[in-house]
């Protein structure tokens, strides 16, 4: 699929995501769905169809209109605009991969095992409730809708994992970060992040290893070996990494960190291990050095730029034509089923942290937000198309995930924003329900 | 005076300080160095954001709150009473002062006189708080906190006397 990249294409890409960012901040929404939509619009499936429009017939609500052939100053505007459509070029594909790697690298960098162990009791309980209910529901849903163990396993992950990026940003934007509800949210996210690192390792071995557990055993063995090696580096390599990054110039810190992270992720991918998981453990290895603060500050803009490329790529390879009635139905069903489950588990998580009804409800609102990790799982499914899972099923799961994330990211952000209006009603309902059962 | 500290994974740290009126001051220190300051009317109320500050600005605000930051004053002798008997005083290190060129650790000022040096103004630079390794130089302005008699002892040590 990959073709040569012209510089102008990269320019168009970054202008598109920059504009998407402007639009999202104007209407106070999370930026991720807008990046995806920008990718869809600029892809070969929408913009690329324009040159074929003149002379064709378009049906709008029963009225068929023949699009006239127009020329402006001797140029066909449709063809000219359509010429801007972006293909899936090498730059975008590799940029998207770097985006995944950096997202997970940051997760590892900010992942603190001792913190998890220190509050393991509350995080463990809130996280376990979250995992059992949402992963279970997701698995059942996937099994019913897409059929087959692997499809169900992927759907379970897609439904279970909340969006660390969107939730954390919303917490800061709304000022909830200073309230008590931030702790169960961020604590549960830590649990989810650790789980997803392990999950991705297993899922990628299954997807790339042919889908059946016995055939994938070799892949899983390699994956476990690579992960153990990385864990060893994370545990015993601190001194080396510390010296490795000991330099006064930001330029060298950035280059060294990028070099190690992307090289290790690339080697892992070559061995059939998820590059995301490898990046997570590299981040974890760096997290015990003194350079965490520098790395976070220096690499954050890079991460954001490449993450935008990743979300754009997700949209780019999405064919709007895939959203058939049955997939839209599946998305609606998933939203209807999995919004209440996250609300419930978030609420229970809040209660485990000893919060009152109102704040526990806020935890639930926030946790409904799904985002980048669901998409990473979907892109993993794409890489196994035709092997472990039938091509058609992969396309269905992929389209389902993109639609699902578009809805859930906007829904979760909106629930958090309008929380003040919803809370009083919901809390009084809860009280009434309790009194009703109490009598 | 309880301070609650909690980690915010992926964000930074949160400090909650109990205020005298039952409310709480909440300071969120981001990993980026940015500080956000909130106030809660009571412990279980929602936080209202007061302001945010960059790392540098936050430190400056902190030194003002600490009572250590000041603008150089033209008077020779400035005296501020903190409570009944505690004073903040500003002293210049004169050319004849024997303390010039020696570190705070060598001089052992706190044990000898009872005053604490909380800051040293040296030209444009403010050293706050000074470390035991900090050496005094001619022309420094020292900010000292201590009781009346401690300050007197310190003045003797500086060899200035009350020439103002």
């Amino acid at each position: 699929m990959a073709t040569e990249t012209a510089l102008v294409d990269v320019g168009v890409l970054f202008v598109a995501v920059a504009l998407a960012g402007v639009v999202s901040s104007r209407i106070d929404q999370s930026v991720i769905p807008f990046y995806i939509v920008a990718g869809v619009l600029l892809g070969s499936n929408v913009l690329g169809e324009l040159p074929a429009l003149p002379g064709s017939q378009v049906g709008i609500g029963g009225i068929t209109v023949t699009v006239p052939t127009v020329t402006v100053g001797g140029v066909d505007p449709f063809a000219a605009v359509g010429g801007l459509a972006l293909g899936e070029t090498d730059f975008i594909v590799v940029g998207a991969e770097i985006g995944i790697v950096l997202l997970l690298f940051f997760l590892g960098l900010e992942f603190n095992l001792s913190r998890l162990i220190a509050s393991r009791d509350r995080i463990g309980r809130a996280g376990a409730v979250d995992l059992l209910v949402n992963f279970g529901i997701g698995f059942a849903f996937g099994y019913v809708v897409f059929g087959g163990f692997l499809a169900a396993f992927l759907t379970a992950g897609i439904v279970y994992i909340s969006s660390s990026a969107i939730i954390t940003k919303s917490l800061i934007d709304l000022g909830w970060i200073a309230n008590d509800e931030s702790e169960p949210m961020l604590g549960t996210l830590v649990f989810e992040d650790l789980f997803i690192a392990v999950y991705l390792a297993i899922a990628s071995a299954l997807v790339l290893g042919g889908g059946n557990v016995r055939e994938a055993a070799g892949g899983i063995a390699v994956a476990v070996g690579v992960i153990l090696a990385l864990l060893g580096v994370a545990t015993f390599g601190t001194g080396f990494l510390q010296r490795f990054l000991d330099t006064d110039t930001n330029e060298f810190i950035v280059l060294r960190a990028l070099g190690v992270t992307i090289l290790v992720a690339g080697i892992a991918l070559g061995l059939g291990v998820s590059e995301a998981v490898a990046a997570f453990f590299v981040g974890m290895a760096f997290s015990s050095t003194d350079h965490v603060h520098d790395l976070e500050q220096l690499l954050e803009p890079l991460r954001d730029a490449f993450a935008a490329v990743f979300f754009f790529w997700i949209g780019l390879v999405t064919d709007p034509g895939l959203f058939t009635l049955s997939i839209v139905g599946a998305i609606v069903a998933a939203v209807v089923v999995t919004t209440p489950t996250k609300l419930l588990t978030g609420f229970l998580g809040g209660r485990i942290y000893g919060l009152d009804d109102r704040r526990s409800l806020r935890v639930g609102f926030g946790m409904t937000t799904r985002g980048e990790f669901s998409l990473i799982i979907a892109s993993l499914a794409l890489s196994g198309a035709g092997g472990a899972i039938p091509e058609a099923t992969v396309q269905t799961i992929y389209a389902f995930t993109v639609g699902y994330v578009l809805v859930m990211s906007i829904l979760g952000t909106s629930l958090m924003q309008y929380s003040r209006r919803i809370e009083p009603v919901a809390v009084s309902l809860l009280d009434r329900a309790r009194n009703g059962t109490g009598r | 005076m309880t301070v609650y500290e909690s980690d915010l994974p992926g964000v930074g740290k949160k400090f909650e300080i109990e205020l005298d009126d039952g409310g709480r001051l909440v300071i969120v220190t981001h990993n980026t160095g940015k500080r956000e300051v909130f106030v809660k009317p009571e412990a279980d109320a929602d936080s209202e954001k007061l302001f945010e500050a960059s790392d540098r600005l936050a430190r400056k605000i902190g030194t003002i709150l600490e009572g250590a930051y000041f603008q150089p004053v033209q008077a020779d002798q400035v005296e501020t009473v903190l409570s009944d008997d505690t004073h903040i005083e500003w002293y210049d290190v004169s050319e004849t002062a024997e303390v010039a060129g020696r570190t705070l650790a060598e001089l052992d000022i706190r044990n000898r006189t009872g005053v604490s040096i909380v800051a040293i103004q040296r030209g444009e630079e403010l050293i706050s708080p000074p470390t035991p390794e900090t050496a005094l130089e001619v022309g420094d302005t020292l900010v000292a906190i201590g009781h009346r008699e401690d300050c007197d002892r310190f003045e003797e040590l500086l060899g200035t006397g009350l020439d103002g």
Side-chain angles (χ1 to χ4, degrees), chain B residues 49-120:
Chain B
K49 187 165 167 178
L50 295 174
F51 63 90
E52 59 180 60
S54 68
D55 191 40
R56 272 187 63 189
L57 182 61
R59 285 165 196 258
K60 183 159 273 192
I61 295 168
T63 55
I64 293 172
L65 289 172
E66 208 177 33
Y69 185 82
F70 69 104
Q71 291 294 349
V73 205
Q74 291 308 317
D76 278 349
Q77 190 76 33
V78 189
E79 191 174 289
T80 319
V81 181
L82 278 182
S83 61
D84 294 348
D85 194 30
T86 312
H87 296 249
I88 294 191
E89 296 214 24
W90 281 250
Y91 299 97
D92 289 331
V93 179
S94 64
E95 300 204 8
T96 55
E98 288 176 20
V99 295
R102 298 171 66 191
T103 64
L104 291 177
E106 280 175 59
L107 292 166
D108 199 17
I109 284 168
R110 188 167 310 165
N111 286 332
R112 280 165 68 185
T113 66
V115 303
S116 308
I117 296 186
V118 291
I120 299 174

Side-chain angles (χ1 to χ4, degrees), chain A residues 261-439:
Chain A
T261 311
I262 297 176
L263 182 66
V264 170
I267 291 173
L269 197 59
L271 292 170
V273 182
S274 159
E275 77 275 30
V277 179
F280 176 86
F281 284 108
V282 174
M284 221 164 119
F286 278 119
S287 73
S288 38
T289 64
D290 302 344
H291 300 286
V292 174
H293 192 79
D294 293 340
L295 286 174
E296 279 176 349
Q297 258 183 313
L298 296 170
L299 293 179
E300 196 174 336
L302 267 173
R303 176 199 66 183
D304 293 342
F306 282 109
V309 176
F310 167 68
F311 296 123
F312 186 87
W313 170 79
I314 287 278
L316 200 63
V317 295
T318 304
D319 180 359
L322 277 175
F323 290 108
T324 54
L325 216 51
S326 64
I327 292 204
V328 171
I331 293 168
V332 170
V335 170
V336 169
V337 172
T338 64
T339 306
T341 55
K342 271 283 180 186
L343 274 173
L344 173 75
T345 54
F347 183 84
L348 292 173
R351 302 295 298 181
I352 286 168
Y353 272 72
L355 304 186
D356 59 17
D357 282 354
R358 192 166 59 95
R359 294 197 186 285
S360 301
L361 205 63
R362 286 186 182 181
V363 178
F365 286 160
M367 297 309 285
T368 56
T369 315
R370 318 292 208 284
E372 66 277 23
F373 298 112
S374 305
L375 296 171
I376 288 176
I377 297 170
S379 68
L380 173 70
L382 272 189
S383 64
I389 339 176
E391 175 82 40
T393 315
V394 168
Q395 289 300 339
T396 315
I397 292 180
Y398 183 81
F400 162 80
T401 311
V402 173
Y404 178 71
V405 167
L406 284 177
V407 176
M408 293 314 284
S409 57
I410 290 177
L411 180 71
T413 317
S414 306
L415 278 174
M416 282 174 89
Q417 278 167 346
Y418 296 113
S419 170
R420 272 179 194 282
R421 292 184 207 169
I422 311 171
E423 281 161 23
V425 183
V427 170
S428 68
L429 279 176
L430 275 170
D431 282 343
R432 215 176 302 166
R434 282 210 189 109
N435 293 337
T437 54
R439 267 181 223 142

Side-chain angles (χ1 to χ4, degrees), chain B:
Chain B
M1 276 278 287
T2 319
V3 178
Y4 304 91
E5 180 186 325
S6 46
D7 271 309
L8 302 172
V11 179
K13 265 190 185 325
K14 181 176 81 174
F15 300 91
E16 284 198 35
I17 301 127
E18 281 183 351
L19 300 174
D20 295 340
D21 62 359
R24 292 208 177 162
L25 191 71
V26 184
I27 298 172
V28 176
T29 305
H30 290 253
N31 291 331
T32 55
K34 186 175 82 172
R35 314 285 204 283
E36 287 188 289
V37 180
F38 302 81
V39 71
K40 292 184 189 178
E42 55 218 27
D44 55 359
D46 279 342
S47 309
E48 296 155 29
K49 187 165 167 178
L50 295 174
F51 63 90
E52 59 180 60
S54 68
D55 191 40
R56 272 187 63 189
L57 182 61
R59 285 165 196 258
K60 183 159 273 192
I61 295 168
T63 55
I64 293 172
L65 289 172
E66 208 177 33
Y69 185 82
F70 69 104
Q71 291 294 349
V73 205
Q74 291 308 317
D76 278 349
Q77 190 76 33
V78 189
E79 191 174 289
T80 319
V81 181
L82 278 182
S83 61
D84 294 348
D85 194 30
T86 312
H87 296 249
I88 294 191
E89 296 214 24
W90 281 250
Y91 299 97
D92 289 331
V93 179
S94 64
E95 300 204 8
T96 55
E98 288 176 20
V99 295
R102 298 171 66 191
T103 64
L104 291 177
E106 280 175 59
L107 292 166
D108 199 17
I109 284 168
R110 188 167 310 165
N111 286 332
R112 280 165 68 185
T113 66
V115 303
S116 308
I117 296 186
V118 291
I120 299 174
Q121 176 86 17
R122 179 172 297 161
E124 287 296 288
E125 186 189 6
L126 177 76
I127 305 165
S128 171
T131 62
E133 292 76 47
T134 309
L136 301 181
E137 291 179 13
V138 171
D140 282 355
T141 304
L142 313 178
V143 185
I145 291 186
H147 292 300
R148 174 76 269 169
E149 57 271 24
D150 297 343
C151 292
D152 291 343
R153 268 197 295 271
F154 183 56
E155 271 177 40
E156 276 170 42
L157 178 75
L158 280 174
T160 49
L162 285 167
D163 54 10

Side-chain angles (χ1 to χ4, degrees), chain A residues 128-336:
Chain A
V129 169
D130 176 39
L131 175 65
L132 288 173
V133 173
N134 293 298
F135 198 83
I137 294 276
F139 191 89
F141 182 89
Y143 202 86
V144 171
V145 176
F146 303 119
F149 168 81
L150 188 52
F153 186 69
L154 292 171
T155 316
I158 289 162
V159 164
Y160 159 67
I161 186 92
S162 295
S163 167
S164 302
I166 303 178
I167 294 173
T168 306
K169 192 171 177 310
S170 296
L171 280 176
I172 294 170
D173 289 347
L174 293 169
W176 287 12
I177 196 79
N179 296 340
D180 296 341
E181 57 265 23
S182 65
E183 280 172 66
M185 282 192 196
L186 295 169
T188 310
L189 288 175
V190 167
F191 184 97
E192 287 191 359
D193 294 345
L194 184 65
F195 178 84
I196 216 69
V198 178
Y199 168 90
L200 278 174
I202 298 169
S204 61
L206 287 174
V207 168
L208 305 173
N212 101 25
V213 179
R214 199 173 317 149
E215 281 175 36
I220 292 182
V222 173
V224 169
V226 171
I227 287 172
L228 283 177
L230 285 169
L231 260 179
V233 171
T235 317
F236 304 109
T238 311
F240 167 75
L241 288 172
Q242 177 72 38
R243 284 193 302 278
F244 179 75
L245 287 185
D246 270 337
T247 165
D248 289 337
T249 51
N250 290 347
E251 184 184 355
F252 292 165
I253 292 185
V254 169
L255 292 177
R256 289 174 195 185
L258 279 182
V260 168
T261 311
I262 297 176
L263 182 66
V264 170
I267 291 173
L269 197 59
L271 292 170
V273 182
S274 159
E275 77 275 30
V277 179
F280 176 86
F281 284 108
V282 174
M284 221 164 119
F286 278 119
S287 73
S288 38
T289 64
D290 302 344
H291 300 286
V292 174
H293 192 79
D294 293 340
L295 286 174
E296 279 176 349
Q297 258 183 313
L298 296 170
L299 293 179
E300 196 174 336
L302 267 173
R303 176 199 66 183
D304 293 342
F306 282 109
V309 176
F310 167 68
F311 296 123
F312 186 87
W313 170 79
I314 287 278
L316 200 63
V317 295
T318 304
D319 180 359
L322 277 175
F323 290 108
T324 54
L325 216 51
S326 64
I327 292 204
V328 171
I331 293 168
V332 170
V335 170
V336 169

